[in-house]
Amino acid sequence: MDQSQAPVLQALQAYHDSGQLPFTPPGHKQARGIDPRVAEVMGEAVFRDDVLVTGGLDDRSSSGGVLQRAEELMADAVGASATFFSTCGSSLSVKAAMLAVAGPGEKLLLGRDAHKSVVAELVLSGSVPVWVEPRWDTELHLAHAPGPEAFAAAFDRHPDAKGALVVTPTPYGTCTDLAALARLCHERGKPLLVDEAWGAHLPFHPDLPTWAMDAGADVCVTSIHKMGSALEQSSVFHLQGDLVAPELLKERADLFSTTSPSALIYATLDGWRRQMVEHGRELYDRALKLAEALRIEIEAIDGLHVHSREELCGEGKAFDADPMQLLVDVSGLGTGGYQATDWMRENHRINLGHSDHRRVGVQLTHADDEETVERLLAALRDLSARAGELPPAPRVEIPPPGGLRLEQAMRPRDAFFAPVEHVPWRQAAGRVSAELITPYPPGVPAVVPGERLNGEILRYLRSGLAGGMVVPDAADSSLDTFRVVAEEDHAR
């Protein structure tokens, strides 16, 4: 296919060139109706390009095939059989993929380090999770994606499971052996779904971890906004093989999708694909060299340590790691990752990625250059020099892996919709959670509806909150109380 084409962008240009006058949404009518104070901050161009996809970029019946051609070009660019665009983020795409494989009451193998969107789909669909344990690094307090052997054991225990879903790369950039996992799934005639939200760049350079389609996955979900050049909420999901029907996947996605998709997001997806096909190799040649140089420079700063591939990968750990994600341990400064992240933003206007009790995440992409890296290094050196002024490291009571693993006493859907009560945290141990509790970032639930709370997880969450952890979805943001299934209902 002619990868120099960009159907959505070209249709957008044709829309403007043809001088069309809309008597349709959006109501701002290509910026004519916006408040000048809004234009002062956002500019008018974003509103000018905010047009209808059907009846705007394309005609009423979409006979021009603008979106279809853009999706076909994306699939061709990465070697997938079919690709679907989403303007509702990978949270929607993951739900669609899961629903295309397992319905109400049907089992699906899921890595327990999955994003909260996975749990949301379980609540909506009534599917039954079979949780597969991550590979826990008890020294670094990191969870890596489950290995193939863990999924094999889960399939042996639950041969009726409809398929498997794994998150790789994780938000920390570590990866599982996808090729081996795809093989074991296909030996059983089961599809492999991959939440590769952090891997948009992987198809475009050989020195990056193997991406899901090349490894043999059936469905791969990717957030282009995370590591690519598209706007927030931009996502694609790719399909190959014959274990998931394309019309079924599209039908399931339609259940969740908006009927008012953003032409802005479609256009940036289209443009990013063309950019990567034409220039991705050279852009990541430079970006990878920049990342390696940055790694060396940060390691030389007193009190900071960048976790190496050797620390993250190996027997019982991760299979591979994305070199564009740098994990910087700040505990040598006597502070924590939450505190260092806040300090960097307040003092240097630098926003870091995910953070935890001892680390900050530095996410590099093809957009970074020597100027952005030098600004980051100057801030990190200042952080080190002023370590004595930093808040002390938080005392987060992190339990061993066994304490983090909770019993799934009820199906997530059943617990979520059950009669509930709110109990003080000291009385919550032994009760079945009716809520999702997710430290952010990275958005991996510590508690899933239907799981039985224990004292260790309660102390972990309470101490984490006191130490700077953000828990945005808890019913009680103070975690003084927990939303649990009413005892009478659970007894029935």
Side-chain angles (χ1 to χ4, degrees), residues 39-75:
E40 187 177 348
V41 176
M42 299 184 64
E44 293 188 2
V46 65
F47 293 95
R48 182 171 178 267
D49 291 335
D50 183 31
V51 303
L52 286 180
V53 175
T54 301
L57 293 182
D58 211 336
D59 62 25
R60 180 173 56 82
S61 62
S62 297
S63 64
V66 173
L67 179 59
Q68 179 182 347
R69 285 188 289 119
E71 291 176 333
E72 289 172 350
L73 281 164
M74 181 75 82

Side-chain angles (χ1 to χ4, degrees), residues 166-191:
V166 67
V167 177
T168 182
T170 70
Y172 287 102
T174 61
C175 310
T176 195
D177 186 349
L178 272 183
L181 182 52
R183 284 195 300 271
L184 79 85
C185 286
H186 296 161
E187 287 168 359
R188 294 162 171 80
K190 312 288 187 177

Side-chain angles (χ1 to χ4, degrees), residues 287-350:
L288 286 163
K289 290 179 182 177
L290 192 68
E292 182 55 31
L294 177 61
R295 182 181 299 273
I296 294 169
E297 291 284 352
I298 295 176
E299 188 66 28
I301 298 174
D302 287 344
L304 301 183
H305 170 62
V306 186
H307 290 313
S308 66
R309 189 181 189 283
E310 289 69 29
E311 287 178 279
L312 298 172
C313 304
E315 186 66 29
K317 298 181 180 180
F319 177 76
D320 203 353
D322 180 4
M324 301 303 295
Q325 298 277 11
L326 277 61
L327 297 179
V328 183
D329 192 323
V330 301
S331 59
L333 301 178
T335 193
Y338 306 128
Q339 291 70 29
T341 296
D342 293 343
W343 188 93
M344 293 280 283
R345 178 181 173 89
E346 180 179 348
N347 291 275
H348 286 272
R349 302 298 181 261
I350 284 181

Side-chain angles (χ1 to χ4, degrees), residues 210 234 252 314 336 470:
T210 301
S234 60
R252 298 302 190 259
V470 176

